[in-house]
Amino acid sequence: MALVVTKFGGTSVGSTERIMAVARRLVARKEAGDRVVAVVSAMGDVTDELVSMAREISEAPPEREMDMLLATGEQVTIALLAMAIEALGHEAISFTGPQVGIVTDSGHTKAKILEVRADRRVRSALDEGRIVIVAGFQGVTEDGHITTLGRGGSDTTAVAVAAGIGADLCEIYTDVDGVYTADPRVVPSARKIDAVSYDEMLELAATGARVLQLRSVEFARNHGVVIHCRSSFNDREGTIVREADETMEQAIISGVSHDTSEAKVTIRDVPDRPGVAASVFGMLADANVNVDMIIQNVSESGTTDISFTTPVEDLVRARRATAEVVAELGARSWNVDESVAKVSLVGAGMKTHPGVAAQMFRALADAGVNLDMISTSSIRISCVIAAEDVERAVRALHSSFGLDSDEIHAEVSPACGEGA
Ligand code: ADP
Ligand code: ASP
Ligand code: MG
């Protein structure tokens, strides 16, 4: 008898029929003898719709209230799923994040989990023979304010609950068969990866492979939770995410990821003296703006240009902070370019194989893609390029590094394929 945490994403619970299908899957699991906890997301595009409603009211809604709003999406799904299980003649109970003690810091809209006190409440419900349903994406601060964990955060709830109750397995059910060598919606010849290390998955998730939220992978690595990422629309084996060992196939390149959710800010003619970068990025940090890539040009006549990329969702705050810092430092001007994208190549093998960067830049050049910024880690190379070039860039890299499979999967989306 295994203790399993399963997580179902938005598409997988996108309609009442699909919620019934999830309920049937959970009941079958329980009948097979497992103790089952299910973490669920908001239905379909509900979170996006809530975000747009808030934006119709205000350009920069108070973040506490944003969380109060966004947390409602998941609460609808947990109640409907519990009802669906009861309708099948089995016992279930739904809990919100706060009810199972998902305690977070106060970083509204992207709060970090500090502690999971799920153990007692979840275990006693399981002992009573119930299927336990938990709302993903939400938590509560020590002083009782509702928080959310950043977009895609239900993955992190699932891993955190799995760690908190000592589950044997954490299964993340989604709308594709697992983690692929590139987003299968962009590269139809992408291949499913059978097993990937935490480190590579961290880089893929951090650079746009949104199939698993970055924080969920960090949490899994820190707590030794093995993730099985798989489809909720079939029974095929998905992708195992775990610690690397000698049995794991060691590809030079594991995958190509891309991200169109960042913008580039450039500040021109900043005085070139010690402390300037500290002021710029200090003010951005104080404004709760995440900064990804940074580039500073060679200084000419005592001034320099600084560019950085930031998530579009942080842009209102980034604009305010940049305007302030420009005035304070007496820089000449600043501008924002939202039509940028980032393409990244990830693979543990690049540590020991020279020439990967050269091959990457050559493939992009041959595809006519201009490079704007470059950054690297020991197992990743990322380039900022024009947004309009991004799909071409991903496909060019995918084939240049021999990742294309012979099999073209035409149906990646249940919306146009199998359905629940
Ligand atoms: P869920 O709602 O189940 O959490 P998401 O939409 O957050 O699902 O994540 C699944 C999506 O991630 C897929 O539909 C796919 O388009 C996208 N994706 C991006 N990169 C990858 C990748 N490397 N492998 C698999 N899916 C990817
Ligand atoms: N519903 C939230 C989102 O859309 C959380 C999640 O789906 O993981 O971001
Ligand atoms: Mg997701």
Side-chain angles (χ1 to χ4, degrees), residues 7 9-10 41 151-155 172-175 210-213:
K7 178 259 169 177
S41 294
R151 298 305 306 268
S154 299
D155 297 336
I172 309 258
Y173 286 89
T174 183
D175 56 7
R210 68 175 197 282
V211 60
L212 290 175
Q213 198 206 29

Side-chain angles (χ1 to χ4, degrees), residues 17-347:
E17 291 77 31
R18 286 189 180 164
I19 289 176
M20 283 306 300
V22 170
R24 283 192 289 274
R25 195 184 263 276
L26 296 173
V27 164
R29 202 66 190 260
K30 183 167 173 256
E31 285 180 334
D34 290 337
R35 288 149 67 86
V36 186
V37 178
V39 173
V40 286
S41 294
M43 294 171 70
D45 296 330
V46 163
T47 309
D48 289 332
E49 287 157 15
L50 294 171
V51 171
S52 337
M53 275 197 275
R55 298 254 185 267
E56 282 168 24
I57 304 252
S58 161
E59 193 193 36
E63 290 182 332
R64 180 192 181 279
E65 303 312 328
M66 198 66 188
D67 277 351
M68 191 62 99
L69 176 71
L70 296 188
T72 61
E74 272 63 18
Q75 205 167 325
V76 171
T77 323
I78 55 171
L80 291 174
L81 182 56
M83 290 175 196
I85 293 169
E86 298 271 345
L88 295 174
H90 285 256
E91 285 189 284
I93 182 164
S94 66
F95 294 120
T96 63
Q99 281 179 316
V100 292
I102 309 268
V103 181
T104 71
D105 66 12
S106 58
H108 283 290
T109 75
K110 44 189 169 201
K112 286 204 177 74
I113 296 179
L114 300 175
E115 199 189 332
V116 184
R117 301 178 185 150
D119 201 35
R120 196 184 45 79
R121 200 159 196 177
V122 173
R123 274 186 186 276
S124 63
L126 290 169
D127 290 344
E128 289 161 13
R130 298 175 193 267
I131 294 174
V132 175
I133 324 280
V134 177
F137 181 51
Q138 49 177 255
V140 66
T141 61
E142 287 286 2
D143 47 1
H145 298 283
I146 305 275
T147 52
T148 63
L149 309 178
R151 298 305 306 268
S154 299
D155 297 336
T156 304
T157 306
V159 174
V161 169
I165 63 171
D168 300 300
L169 190 61
C170 180
E171 294 184 326
I172 309 258
Y173 286 89
T174 183
D175 56 7
V176 286
D177 283 359
V179 180
Y180 280 75
T181 48
D183 185 340
R185 294 181 203 283
V186 171
V187 184
S189 58
R191 275 187 290 121
K192 195 198 79 195
I193 306 171
D194 293 334
V196 65
S197 68
Y198 291 128
D199 287 347
E200 286 168 299
M201 193 63 230
L202 279 173
E203 294 283 10
L204 287 169
T207 52
R210 68 175 197 282
V211 60
L212 290 175
Q213 198 206 29
L214 174 60
R215 292 252 183 87
S216 72
V217 188
E218 281 168 352
F219 211 101
R221 185 185 58 179
N222 295 345
H223 294 83
V225 176
V226 173
I227 298 176
H228 184 183
C229 175
R230 59 191 305 186
S231 171
S232 62
F233 300 101
N234 61 55
D235 288 322
R236 286 194 278 276
E237 287 291 303
T239 302
I240 301 289
V241 186
R242 62 173 171 86
E243 202 62 71
D245 63 22
E246 57 293 340
T247 64
M248 198 176 264
E249 190 200 341
Q250 193 35 280
I252 299 175
I253 300 302
S254 298
V256 183
S257 51
H258 71 282
D259 190 351
T260 51
S261 68
E262 289 189 352
K264 187 178 80 162
V265 180
T266 302
I267 308 179
R268 296 198 193 288
D269 285 353
V270 188
D272 190 18
R273 56 177 152 77
V276 164
S279 307
V280 172
F281 295 103
M283 277 178 100
L284 290 164
D286 291 344
N288 196 18
V289 174
N290 277 324
V291 170
D292 180 18
M293 282 200 210
I294 299 174
I295 200 163
Q296 178 174 332
N297 286 349
V298 183
S299 166
E300 271 174 43
S301 57
T303 63
T304 182
D305 296 347
I306 296 181
S307 297
F308 60 90
T309 60
T310 182
V312 171
E313 61 185 30
D314 289 358
L315 209 48
V316 173
R317 290 193 302 277
R319 283 180 196 272
R320 276 195 204 137
T322 306
E324 240 176 89
V325 88
V326 163
E328 190 179 295
L329 296 174
R332 180 162 60 86
S333 61
W334 61 285
N335 76 293
V336 174
D337 183 357
E338 289 190 57
S339 60
V340 295
K342 184 170 70 177
V343 60
S344 307
L345 199 60
V346 174

